[in-house]
Amino acid sequence: MFNTKFSVVALCAVTIILAALQAGAVQAAESIAATGPIGGSDINAALLPPEGLWISGIGAAVGFSDYYDNDRNELKARGSDTLGGVGILYSYPGQFMGGQLASTLFAGYERLCFGVDPYEKSCSSGIKDVYSDVLMWSRFFPSDAALTQSKGDVQRPFGTAVLFGLGLTIPTGNYSKESPINNSANFWGFSPNIAVTYTAPSPLPDLFGDAIQLNGRMFYHMYTENKDTQFQTGSVLSLDWAVVMMKGQWQYGLAGLAYAQLEDDKIGGIVHPNGGNRSEVIGLGPIVSRDFMLGDRPANVTVKGIHSVYGRNVAKSTGVFVRLSTKF
């Protein structure tokens, strides 16, 4: 039986709504990407799987209906983003300072289309920028509830896990400075991050499950200059989160994200004439996940929906994300 203490880490990338941020090029003429694992982080955000190589197949479909301008007004817009990707995670053997070490790599292909009325919709298809968690360190601190579980019960990671990581985005994707829409940001991104996962016995009746889990992973994103345009995106703070109930091999609940650009964009070292076109977004939606055995290998399938409920200089979007992960 798959031990949910080690449910496959969220091997995924630019969270569903954040894919829409590249549509910011309509006003900023540049990509505004938070960067991160394809699909974002959610369940077990700070927990790493057992040592070995883990692989995920990732897919997402996003629809854009409006565009939040700099004053948070909603402009009529239309577009879509369809992407597929692969993520790999290697969990290193042994321990370091009482915790686990792991590295990841994510690559994908997408077709992105967007347009704000009355302008014509533009599209771009190609490879996305590669993202890597160059190194992550996770340590789990069990609670008394973890130490007193019955052997006949599904083993839960009761307690608190913390994770520290360094993310890197490599500009390998499709880009043209003449195009208003691109699959690549055409600059490097550096994303130190921290995650926390807290799991406890459920305070609700057994009908709803035997455990509740709270997850959060925060990234601080820094970017180099786009050498083709001398444009530099201001630093960004983003948060992925999930609150789920655990029942048997199922997890279900609510997931979401928050994103805020902290500094103004610059062109040639000078603040963008529109005041920096700072971008913000809040999105949330349901998440359902199940652990199972794929032959003799532990596996997990997760489905997540995200709908933007607030934004500034970003497309309003609704998306569905699917991830299938297993040990290689």
Side-chain angles (χ1 to χ4, degrees):
M1 184 66 67
F2 183 55
N3 186 340
T4 55
K5 174 178 178 180
F6 299 111
S7 295
V8 180
V9 70
L11 295 177
C12 302
V14 202
T15 46
I16 297 171
I17 281 187
L18 294 185
L21 292 176
Q22 291 186 341
V26 172
Q27 288 192 352
E30 291 292 331
S31 295
I32 308 174
T35 68
I38 296 175
S41 298
D42 40 69
I43 299 170
N44 294 324
L47 289 166
L48 295 174
E51 66 179 69
L53 186 64
W54 301 75
I55 187 166
S56 291
I58 307 150
V62 183
F64 306 133
S65 56
D66 292 293
Y67 185 85
Y68 298 107
D69 67 11
N70 194 54
D71 298 317
R72 302 181 181 87
N73 299 313
E74 294 185 24
L75 308 178
K76 188 173 181 180
R78 70 276 187 210
S80 63
D81 187 16
T82 304
L83 67 91
V86 175
I88 59 173
L89 178 148
Y90 182 68
S91 187
Y92 297 97
Q95 289 193 331
F96 176 74
M97 296 180 63
Q100 282 183 272
L101 294 173
S103 298
T104 70
L105 186 71
F106 299 91
Y109 185 93
E110 76 173 340
R111 178 170 175 77
L112 177 63
C113 297
F114 190 76
V116 176
D117 287 349
Y119 301 103
E120 184 178 350
K121 182 170 65 175
S122 298
C123 295
S124 178
S125 297
I127 297 172
K128 294 179 61 61
D129 291 342
V130 167
Y131 173 81
S132 171
D133 292 298
V134 178
L135 191 64
M136 299 182 291
W137 176 83
S138 169
R139 184 167 180 180
F140 176 65
F141 300 91
S143 65
D144 291 341
L147 304 176
T148 58
Q149 294 183 87
S150 169
K151 291 184 179 180
D153 295 336
V154 176
Q155 300 299 292
R156 303 299 190 196
F158 290 133
T160 303
V162 294
L163 179 147
F164 296 91
L166 176 61
L168 174 67
T169 302
I170 306 169
T172 55
N174 181 36
Y175 177 84
S176 170
K177 68 178 182 180
E178 282 78 28
S179 175
I181 300 294
N182 282 292
N183 304 105
S184 172
N186 200 40
F187 49 72
W188 293 73
F190 303 90
S191 305
N193 59 88
I194 182 172
V196 177
T197 294
Y198 173 72
T199 311
S202 172
L204 302 176
D206 290 344
L207 173 66
F208 298 99
D210 62 286
I212 185 170
Q213 186 181 89
L214 311 179
N215 297 274
R217 188 176 183 187
M218 181 171 289
F219 296 80
Y220 179 68
H221 309 277
M222 300 171 287
Y223 309 104
T224 62
E225 182 182 272
N226 183 336
K227 297 301 183 182
D228 288 351
T229 62
Q230 289 73 58
F231 188 98
Q232 184 168 16
T233 297
S235 62
V236 167
L237 191 67
S238 69
L239 172 68
D240 290 347
W241 60 267
V243 178
V244 296
M245 295 295 299
M246 296 177 156
K247 184 176 177 63
Q249 300 301 315
W250 291 89
Q251 300 90 43
Y252 68 94
L254 194 65
L257 62 93
Y259 167 109
Q261 187 173 338
L262 305 180
E263 298 177 319
D264 291 339
D265 298 331
K266 295 180 180 179
I267 301 177
I270 300 173
V271 173
H272 192 284
N274 286 352
N277 273 352
R278 295 195 187 194
S279 183
E280 302 168 355
V281 71
I282 296 175
L284 53 85
I287 184 170
V288 178
S289 182
R290 189 177 192 279
D291 300 324
F292 63 99
M293 297 301 295
L294 191 62
D296 60 350
R297 303 170 187 269
N300 171 273
V301 61
T302 297
V303 180
K304 178 169 62 176
I306 297 288
H307 175 72
S308 54
V309 296
Y310 165 85
R312 177 186 179 195
N313 289 318
V314 66
K316 183 177 182 180
S317 60
T318 300
V320 176
F321 161 86
V322 180
R323 178 178 69 246
L324 175 63
S325 305
T326 188
K327 188 171 185 181
F328 185 74

